[in-house]
Amino acid sequence: MKLPVEAHTDRPWRVHEFARDFRVEDVWSYRTPGAGPDDFPVMLDAMRAGGGFDRQSPPVRFLFAVRWKLGALLGWDRPDTGLGSRVPSLCDRLPRDLRETVAGSDSGDMPLTPVYELPDEAVRELANKTVHTLMHLGWVPTGDGGHELRMAVLVKPNGRFGRLYMALIAPFRYLIVYPALTRQWERAWQDRALLLPGSADPRP
């Protein structure tokens, strides 16, 4: 479910300390029935185990395939347009204790680089010729005593071209990508006992 920007900005996330020059583009919530306050790491592990690109729906795989093809043809994803080249990584702004909470890439088939990971929030980033973007995942209490996953997408478009690019892809994000992520990530939570041997029973 789409949420207002304030659902992210009004919470005391650590990312606010380091990303004041990024704009909050989208905020989305994901249901995790039966989740407790300490289950954020379980959710992240379930997403990694059940959320690979090959598990995405055919429309999402097609959209990303088209995007990568266009990026290759137009040079959007060249190394000199990414992190450490066109823009510095958000990691450069972090204190050492946060930088040491993650290591390596998040997934072999997704181009997101971990920035930090805490018991209730995590950040990953991506940069190319169009935009520098952050994906913030947070663990939020719900009114019924449970917890849910929230995702905020923060962006810094690369000039007029980047702003136009974000406007053009907005319908695809809302109509195809985010609904597919919702199904995939909520299913990962429900199936966590199968995806993560030794975890809690998936039935709330």
Side-chain angles (χ1 to χ4, degrees):
M1 181 175 66
K2 191 177 188 303
L3 299 176
V5 167
E6 292 76 17
H8 173 75
T9 57
D10 287 352
R11 297 200 61 82
W13 302 122
R14 290 293 306 273
V15 73
H16 299 323
E17 304 170 29
F18 316 109
R20 292 186 179 92
D21 50 338
F22 286 78
R23 182 183 77 243
V24 180
E25 184 77 10
D26 299 313
V27 184
W28 213 264
S29 69
Y30 304 86
R31 295 167 296 181
T32 52
D38 301 322
D39 283 332
F40 185 55
V42 176
M43 182 64 196
L44 293 183
D45 286 343
M47 290 164 60
R48 293 183 183 108
F53 182 69
D54 59 343
R55 295 174 183 248
Q56 292 283 359
S57 66
V60 173
R61 292 201 303 270
F62 174 76
L63 282 177
F64 276 97
V66 171
R67 166 58 183 85
W68 303 142
K69 184 65 173 179
L70 285 173
L73 291 173
L74 301 175
W76 293 350
D77 305 311
R78 295 195 315 264
D80 62 347
T81 67
L83 298 172
S85 297
R86 187 180 70 80
V87 296
S89 168
L90 191 70
C91 293
D92 296 345
R93 309 182 185 186
L94 304 183
R96 178 176 295 180
D97 63 317
L98 285 184
R99 289 200 305 268
E100 293 177 349
T101 60
V102 296
S105 62
D106 195 49
S107 170
D109 58 8
M110 292 297 285
L112 293 168
T113 300
V115 177
Y116 67 82
E117 190 170 303
L118 298 174
D120 63 346
E121 69 174 300
V123 174
R124 288 145 179 80
E125 67 179 334
L126 166 71
N128 52 42
K129 191 174 182 179
T130 64
V131 70
H132 185 186
T133 185
L134 309 177
M135 182 179 72
H136 179 274
L137 299 174
W139 201 236
V140 180
T142 57
D144 58 2
H147 283 70
E148 69 179 13
L149 178 71
R150 289 187 187 171
M151 176 186 72
V153 177
L154 292 78
V155 300
K156 190 192 299 184
N158 186 14
R160 183 179 299 176
F161 170 63
R163 292 190 294 272
L164 176 62
Y165 173 83
M166 292 301 299
L168 288 174
I169 67 171
F172 299 102
R173 294 200 314 272
Y174 294 134
L175 296 177
I176 299 176
V177 176
Y178 290 160
L181 278 181
T182 299
R183 292 189 295 271
Q184 186 178 34
W185 288 357
E186 290 183 353
R187 188 184 310 117
W189 171 256
Q190 294 289 350
D191 294 344
R192 63 192 182 280
L194 300 175
L195 296 168
L196 309 170
S199 67
D201 191 292
R203 293 166 297 183

PDB file of all heavy atoms in Angstrom, residues 7 47 62 110 116 135 170 183 186-187 193 204:
ATOM      1  N   ALA A   7       4.997   9.351   6.322  1.00  0.00           N
ATOM      2  CA  ALA A   7       5.144   8.054   6.981  1.00  0.00           C
ATOM      3  C   ALA A   7       6.611   7.661   7.099  1.00  0.00           C
ATOM      4  O   ALA A   7       6.976   6.851   7.960  1.00  0.00           O
ATOM      5  CB  ALA A   7       4.373   6.984   6.207  1.00  0.00           C
ATOM      6  N   MET A  47      13.498 -12.156   2.533  1.00  0.00           N
ATOM      7  CA  MET A  47      13.486 -11.437   1.260  1.00  0.00           C
ATOM      8  C   MET A  47      14.664 -11.855   0.391  1.00  0.00           C
ATOM      9  O   MET A  47      14.523 -12.016  -0.828  1.00  0.00           O
ATOM     10  CB  MET A  47      13.527  -9.935   1.515  1.00  0.00           C
ATOM     11  CG  MET A  47      12.245  -9.386   2.106  1.00  0.00           C
ATOM     12  SD  MET A  47      12.439  -7.737   2.825  1.00  0.00           S
ATOM     13  CE  MET A  47      12.981  -6.786   1.410  1.00  0.00           C
ATOM     14  N   PHE A  62      10.466  -8.540 -17.668  1.00  0.00           N
ATOM     15  CA  PHE A  62      10.513  -7.914 -18.988  1.00  0.00           C
ATOM     16  C   PHE A  62      10.897  -6.439 -18.873  1.00  0.00           C
ATOM     17  O   PHE A  62      11.749  -5.952 -19.632  1.00  0.00           O
ATOM     18  CB  PHE A  62       9.163  -8.061 -19.678  1.00  0.00           C
ATOM     19  CG  PHE A  62       9.067  -7.320 -20.986  1.00  0.00           C
ATOM     20  CD1 PHE A  62       9.673  -7.819 -22.123  1.00  0.00           C
ATOM     21  CD2 PHE A  62       8.384  -6.111 -21.066  1.00  0.00           C
ATOM     22  CE1 PHE A  62       9.598  -7.133 -23.332  1.00  0.00           C
ATOM     23  CE2 PHE A  62       8.307  -5.421 -22.256  1.00  0.00           C
ATOM     24  CZ  PHE A  62       8.914  -5.934 -23.388  1.00  0.00           C
ATOM     25  N   MET A 110      20.870  -8.341  -8.505  1.00  0.00           N
ATOM     26  CA  MET A 110      20.278  -7.016  -8.386  1.00  0.00           C
ATOM     27  C   MET A 110      21.388  -6.002  -8.124  1.00  0.00           C
ATOM     28  O   MET A 110      22.304  -6.272  -7.354  1.00  0.00           O
ATOM     29  CB  MET A 110      19.245  -6.972  -7.259  1.00  0.00           C
ATOM     30  CG  MET A 110      17.997  -7.813  -7.539  1.00  0.00           C
ATOM     31  SD  MET A 110      17.064  -7.238  -8.969  1.00  0.00           S
ATOM     32  CE  MET A 110      16.286  -5.775  -8.314  1.00  0.00           C
ATOM     33  N   TYR A 116      24.067   0.328   5.069  1.00  0.00           N
ATOM     34  CA  TYR A 116      24.135  -0.123   6.459  1.00  0.00           C
ATOM     35  C   TYR A 116      22.899  -0.944   6.784  1.00  0.00           C
ATOM     36  O   TYR A 116      21.896  -0.913   6.069  1.00  0.00           O
ATOM     37  CB  TYR A 116      24.304   1.050   7.436  1.00  0.00           C
ATOM     38  CG  TYR A 116      23.140   1.995   7.562  1.00  0.00           C
ATOM     39  CD1 TYR A 116      22.044   1.716   8.378  1.00  0.00           C
ATOM     40  CD2 TYR A 116      23.137   3.206   6.870  1.00  0.00           C
ATOM     41  CE1 TYR A 116      20.981   2.592   8.500  1.00  0.00           C
ATOM     42  CE2 TYR A 116      22.072   4.093   6.991  1.00  0.00           C
ATOM     43  CZ  TYR A 116      20.997   3.776   7.807  1.00  0.00           C
ATOM     44  OH  TYR A 116      19.943   4.653   7.914  1.00  0.00           O
ATOM     45  N   MET A 135      17.302   2.888  -1.330  1.00  0.00           N
ATOM     46  CA  MET A 135      16.148   2.114  -0.895  1.00  0.00           C
ATOM     47  C   MET A 135      16.272   1.917   0.607  1.00  0.00           C
ATOM     48  O   MET A 135      17.195   1.264   1.085  1.00  0.00           O
ATOM     49  CB  MET A 135      16.077   0.757  -1.596  1.00  0.00           C
ATOM     50  CG  MET A 135      14.850  -0.051  -1.176  1.00  0.00           C
ATOM     51  SD  MET A 135      14.725  -1.663  -2.007  1.00  0.00           S
ATOM     52  CE  MET A 135      16.047  -2.566  -1.183  1.00  0.00           C
ATOM     53  N   ALA A 170       7.464   6.452 -13.609  1.00  0.00           N
ATOM     54  CA  ALA A 170       6.532   6.430 -12.480  1.00  0.00           C
ATOM     55  C   ALA A 170       5.336   5.497 -12.710  1.00  0.00           C
ATOM     56  O   ALA A 170       5.001   4.703 -11.823  1.00  0.00           O
ATOM     57  CB  ALA A 170       6.066   7.842 -12.154  1.00  0.00           C
ATOM     58  N   ARG A 183       3.610  -8.557  -3.555  1.00  0.00           N
ATOM     59  CA  ARG A 183       3.291  -9.984  -3.556  1.00  0.00           C
ATOM     60  C   ARG A 183       4.504 -10.822  -3.184  1.00  0.00           C
ATOM     61  O   ARG A 183       4.411 -11.782  -2.406  1.00  0.00           O
ATOM     62  CB  ARG A 183       2.748 -10.393  -4.935  1.00  0.00           C
ATOM     63  CG  ARG A 183       1.385  -9.798  -5.266  1.00  0.00           C
ATOM     64  CD  ARG A 183       0.824 -10.421  -6.532  1.00  0.00           C
ATOM     65  NE  ARG A 183       1.628 -10.103  -7.708  1.00  0.00           N
ATOM     66  CZ  ARG A 183       1.428  -9.024  -8.471  1.00  0.00           C
ATOM     67  NH1 ARG A 183       0.481  -8.157  -8.164  1.00  0.00           N
ATOM     68  NH2 ARG A 183       2.172  -8.812  -9.530  1.00  0.00           N
ATOM     69  N   GLU A 186       5.668 -10.078   0.679  1.00  0.00           N
ATOM     70  CA  GLU A 186       4.711 -10.595   1.647  1.00  0.00           C
ATOM     71  C   GLU A 186       4.681 -12.119   1.610  1.00  0.00           C
ATOM     72  O   GLU A 186       4.529 -12.770   2.651  1.00  0.00           O
ATOM     73  CB  GLU A 186       3.328 -10.000   1.374  1.00  0.00           C
ATOM     74  CG  GLU A 186       3.257  -8.512   1.705  1.00  0.00           C
ATOM     75  CD  GLU A 186       1.872  -7.917   1.506  1.00  0.00           C
ATOM     76  OE1 GLU A 186       0.990  -8.635   0.973  1.00  0.00           O
ATOM     77  OE2 GLU A 186       1.669  -6.743   1.884  1.00  0.00           O
ATOM     78  N   ARG A 187       4.864 -12.710   0.432  1.00  0.00           N
ATOM     79  CA  ARG A 187       4.942 -14.163   0.331  1.00  0.00           C
ATOM     80  C   ARG A 187       6.206 -14.684   1.012  1.00  0.00           C
ATOM     81  O   ARG A 187       6.189 -15.741   1.662  1.00  0.00           O
ATOM     82  CB  ARG A 187       4.921 -14.599  -1.133  1.00  0.00           C
ATOM     83  CG  ARG A 187       4.812 -16.118  -1.314  1.00  0.00           C
ATOM     84  CD  ARG A 187       4.894 -16.513  -2.778  1.00  0.00           C
ATOM     85  NE  ARG A 187       3.983 -15.735  -3.600  1.00  0.00           N
ATOM     86  CZ  ARG A 187       4.375 -14.910  -4.565  1.00  0.00           C
ATOM     87  NH1 ARG A 187       5.661 -14.763  -4.832  1.00  0.00           N
ATOM     88  NH2 ARG A 187       3.493 -14.249  -5.271  1.00  0.00           N
ATOM     89  N   ALA A 193       9.443 -19.958   7.082  1.00  0.00           N
ATOM     90  CA  ALA A 193       9.868 -21.227   7.666  1.00  0.00           C
ATOM     91  C   ALA A 193      10.429 -22.168   6.602  1.00  0.00           C
ATOM     92  O   ALA A 193      11.335 -22.958   6.872  1.00  0.00           O
ATOM     93  CB  ALA A 193       8.714 -21.886   8.408  1.00  0.00           C
ATOM     94  N   PRO A 204       0.693 -16.963  11.498  1.00  0.00           N
ATOM     95  CA  PRO A 204       0.607 -16.073  12.643  1.00  0.00           C
ATOM     96  C   PRO A 204      -0.293 -16.653  13.732  1.00  0.00           C
ATOM     97  O   PRO A 204      -1.137 -17.487  13.457  1.00  0.00           O
ATOM     98  CB  PRO A 204       0.007 -14.791  12.041  1.00  0.00           C
ATOM     99  CG  PRO A 204      -0.742 -15.251  10.842  1.00  0.00           C
ATOM    100  CD  PRO A 204       0.012 -16.424  10.299  1.00  0.00           C
TER     101      PRO A 204
END
